[in-house]
Amino acid sequence: MSGGFSMLDLFRTEVGTQTARLSEQLLALDDNAPDTGIFDALIRAAHSIKGAARMVDVEAALRIAHIMEEIFVSAQQGSLTLDSACQAALLQGIDMLNRVADNADQADWSSNHGTELDALNQSLAAVLNIAHNVTAVTQPGPPQSIEPIAPRPTAVKPIDPAMLDLFRIEVETQAKILSDGLIVIEQDPRNAARLEALMRAAHSIKGAARMVDIEPAVRIAHVMEDGLVAAQENKITLGADQVDLLFRGVDMLVQIGAATDIRTWTDENRSDIDELEDALTSIPSGTTPAPSLPAASPEPEQPRTVEATGAEIAASPPESAIRVSAESLNRLMGLAGEVEVEARWLRPYADTLVQFKHRHTEVIGLLDKLRDALEYVQLDDYARNLLSDAMHKAADCRQQLGSRLTELDEYDRRSHNLASRLNREVIASRMRPFADGVHGFQRMVRDIARSLGKQVRLEIRGLATQVDRDILEKIEAPLNHLIRNAVDHGIESPAERVAAGKPEQACIRLEAMHSAGMLSIVVEDDGRGMDSARLRDKIVQKKLVSQEMAAELSETELMDFLFLPGFSTREQVTEISGRGVGLDVVHSVVQEMHGIVHAAAHLGKGMRFHLQLPLTLSIMRSLMVQIAGEPYAFPLAQIHRTLKLPREAIETMEGRQYFTLGNQHIGLIAANQVLTLEGEPPEGDEVCIVVLGERLDRYGLVVDRFLGERSLVVQTIDARLGKIKDISSAAILENGDPCLIVDVDDLLRSVDILIAGGRLDKIQNTKVAPQRTKAHKRILVVDDSITVREVERNMLVSRGYDVEVAVDGMDGWNAVRTGAYDLVISDVDMPRMNGFEFVSLIKKDAKLKSLPVMIVSYKDREEDRKRGLDVGADYYLTKGSFHDETLLDAVADLIGKA
């Protein structure tokens, strides 16, 4: 552990702290009437020592603390009075705990003092027997052997909020151990180590529940512990039915811990708790009734919100933890990036001084030549002294300059190293193990498989792989969907698998790893796979492509159709695999994180999904390019490929330029035109191209030149600036210059708008294409429906108007601020910014308020019409009533003919 501390050091510290509290509270009993607060403190202290002793496996301290805890519980319940004799035995126990802690590193200390320890345990057990009538414990063993459940007093005291938080943390921690362990036990019922961990987890929950007097949780945890002890002693074998019951117990404990008002919740669910307790009680006898199969698997548990608990610190000695908000980490990330940039500024300064040193050396050389030239010239003493002083001072300056340059170089190296280490540490603080994001998946697979009558095992690899906490949170839902989909659609029934020569139990593999600077996640099953011929027929049936084109699709292109919105190969939808929600959900989330996802299938052998994501959303691996003389960055994960293309390879068809990549025609667009930047296209025999987009919708963006790959610290843009067209965020380069990071999805939408308007500039020319003169009146059509946009655009173009389109209110707002239009036609219901907000912004802008605006909407209520006119619309037309002439006449009324 950092700082030189070991687990035993922590144990000794814990014992010292808690025994001091025990002594203090016991003395307080002499001066005061029995107080529930004093008993709570005594129980907590003994329980803390017991937990610490269990972590370091100090059995002697565990037994003493356990019996003392039971004595305090009995005293709190009123079944035992702590008279002077009882207190004397307890004080002896406190002294012994300190002695055990002091000698915990000596393996034979307990055995050498066995007689003394046994005598103390018998004395303490005799005190406990007064209330519980339990035989004295003389043999070491698990705590359950001396732990009866005593009836609770009728009066229920309020739960201490601080203690309640500890109980919830304990339930959350131990429930995870129980869930993971039960999955293993179902496959390997005789796994002694797992059974021991499960028994201890149930025991810990019972102890925590007892401290806060949550009787239903004590009962459930106790009967679960009894069943696990029976399995541990080989009295029973835990089968699938028993594991089902134990899982129900885990779920009940989690629900109790999550309840806002635990007392009320347990009272309202008393019958369910009693029924479950009765069922769990049957486990040790081996007469477990067959439970009904679950109708649907519960959702996997959400990532833990408590970043550090006492249990975590004790169980993971190398590191301690504190709570830090995500916003604080983001600010630290930004500051660390700025420190690294600032540290790099020393290098140019040092380089300048090196040049100065070279010039100084030249000056000294000139002085030497001057001295040689004047050697045979008669000079007076004054002149000779001046020359000599000049040469000495120059030499001193050279020596001092060299010395300071050496120091500056050393300081530069140290500063750069320190800034880099700081940056790496801040980045590392955002990382969490992959295991934190997939907890509960194995339980989910088990329950779904049982409900479907299938046998499936989930194998998870790379649990220790470090993942950015934001990415870990975002990928849980896509992975959940892929795994559910695999169990429901991909895995065959046991009979089908046997008939196909496969083992009855199927396997789904989930693996995370770092590869080529990216986070690589694979979800793979050995199920029935995908029938390519059926998939082709489905694509044609949905009229996504023609029969001829479908026949020419490669396997990779074929799989890409699975990610289209609403696409599914299933005829029936199910609750388990998303009720018909397609894989587009997975694609959308991955795309949002600047990642890519691919699918591969082999009929009869299974399906494979491969997700490639950035390692962190705070550091973006990017391709730096120059556009119109300025640096821009493209997320590397969203680039299909880059290349330098000879100009003679550019072809033209129907007025549009393209080049051929493999067997696909890729349209060419000038980056400076899309980003509305001034500047000439680069000259030369080759053009630099960044290929963006997916599937059959790819474009080649022509940039000035490539600047190389960089890892950029992402800086969010101030929310007051709103959504900047085609830009997602920014970064600071090593030299301190700002760099904009391109929003690839937004950029592709802008490209679609340029193509729809027929306004693409030519790439082949080495000179700037002349700007088109305004021959017709220009209209901007803003609507989120592509059908409505195209209908309105075609109608207006047929009358000679120059029409451009925008896909929503925000896109339209960006367009009107950068272009000149004679009229705007807008829909009302649109994402990001609705039509009323859009019109209001136009009419409030001093430069745009005179621009005529027409609202065309399906909303035909009088209040909607009134609201549209109130925000400044010059005309309100309903889509349900207008025909060609109505819209065209309204346009002519507002701005005249084209």
Side-chain angles (χ1 to χ4, degrees), residues 536-550:
R536 290 179 198 273
D537 292 341
K538 197 75 175 181
I539 293 171
V540 175
Q541 178 185 336
K542 289 181 173 289
K543 299 181 179 179
L544 297 173
V545 296
S546 64
Q547 185 78 43
E548 295 76 15
M549 182 176 291

Side-chain angles (χ1 to χ4, degrees), residues 576-598:
I576 292 176
S577 56
R579 300 192 59 82
V581 176
L583 293 172
D584 64 296
V585 174
V586 178
H587 178 263
S588 298
V589 175
V590 171
Q591 191 176 47
E592 179 186 340
M593 293 185 285
H594 309 297
I596 54 177
V597 56
H598 294 297

Side-chain angles (χ1 to χ4, degrees), residues 419-449:
S420 298
R421 285 167 52 200
L422 172 63
N423 206 31
R424 289 196 297 270
E425 287 295 331
V426 174
I427 293 172
S429 69
R430 292 183 56 89
M431 310 302 277
R432 292 166 57 192
F434 183 62
D436 285 1
V438 298
H439 173 63
F441 279 9
Q442 289 181 318
R443 165 80 185 278
M444 175 187 72
V445 168
R446 175 195 180 274
D447 289 350
I448 294 175

Side-chain angles (χ1 to χ4, degrees), residues 130-399:
I130 298 173
H132 289 263
N133 194 26
V134 181
T135 57
V137 178
T138 58
Q139 299 297 323
Q144 75 278 356
S145 61
I146 57 169
E147 200 160 15
I149 298 298
R152 293 283 139 190
T154 305
V156 179
K157 65 180 184 298
I159 302 177
D160 180 359
M163 292 298 295
L164 183 59
D165 287 341
L166 291 175
F167 166 71
R168 286 179 167 139
I169 290 170
E170 188 74 12
V171 170
E172 187 177 19
T173 303
Q174 302 302 334
K176 180 179 183 298
I177 295 173
L178 287 166
S179 295
D180 293 343
L182 286 172
I183 294 291
V184 175
I185 287 299
E186 189 171 24
Q187 302 293 324
D188 182 11
R190 297 301 180 192
N191 190 317
R194 283 287 182 172
L195 285 170
E196 173 70 15
L198 288 169
M199 183 276 296
R200 289 189 173 184
H203 182 75
S204 295
I205 294 178
K206 180 175 67 174
R210 175 172 289 145
M211 282 199 299
V212 289
D213 198 24
I214 301 176
E215 172 261 347
V218 174
R219 290 163 45 201
I220 295 296
H222 181 73
V223 291
M224 288 177 64
E225 184 181 4
D226 284 346
L228 292 167
V229 169
Q232 194 179 26
E233 296 174 349
N234 294 324
K235 295 178 180 178
I236 62 169
T237 299
L238 294 177
D241 292 341
Q242 288 85 359
V243 170
D244 273 339
L245 271 177
L246 289 168
F247 268 129
R248 287 178 57 194
V250 175
D251 293 341
M252 180 62 74
L253 291 170
V254 169
Q255 291 180 65
I256 292 173
T260 304
D261 184 345
I262 293 181
R263 302 277 196 224
T264 302
W265 190 92
T266 52
D267 288 342
E268 293 174 350
N269 294 272
R270 179 71 59 179
S271 60
D272 292 339
I273 294 172
D274 292 342
E275 181 272 330
L276 178 58
E277 182 184 12
D278 291 341
L280 287 166
T281 303
S282 66
I283 292 179
S285 64
T287 58
T288 305
S292 58
L293 293 175
S297 174
E299 294 295 330
E301 297 178 20
Q302 295 299 315
R304 296 181 58 186
T305 56
V306 180
E307 296 300 333
T309 70
E312 285 179 299
I313 296 172
S316 303
E319 298 183 14
S320 58
I322 60 173
R323 292 190 184 193
V324 179
S325 68
E327 290 184 2
S328 295
L329 280 178
N330 289 337
R331 286 194 296 269
L332 284 174
M333 179 70 69
L335 291 172
E338 291 181 25
V339 168
E340 191 166 24
V341 169
E342 292 293 331
R344 295 179 183 274
W345 279 32
L346 284 174
R347 176 46 48 195
Y349 181 71
D351 292 342
T352 302
L353 288 182
V354 169
Q355 294 178 1
F356 178 72
K357 181 182 178 183
H358 292 160
R359 298 291 182 270
H360 189 267
T361 301
E362 293 175 359
V363 170
I364 292 178
L366 292 174
L367 286 174
D368 286 338
K369 291 180 180 179
L370 178 61
R371 182 194 59 187
D372 293 341
L374 296 175
E375 184 176 356
Y376 302 104
V377 177
Q378 288 296 114
L379 296 176
D380 56 25
D381 291 341
Y382 179 72
R384 289 187 180 278
N385 289 336
L386 284 177
L387 179 59
S388 178
D389 287 346
M391 294 186 65
H392 280 98
K393 290 184 181 297
D396 289 342
C397 287
R398 179 173 59 180
Q399 182 180 359

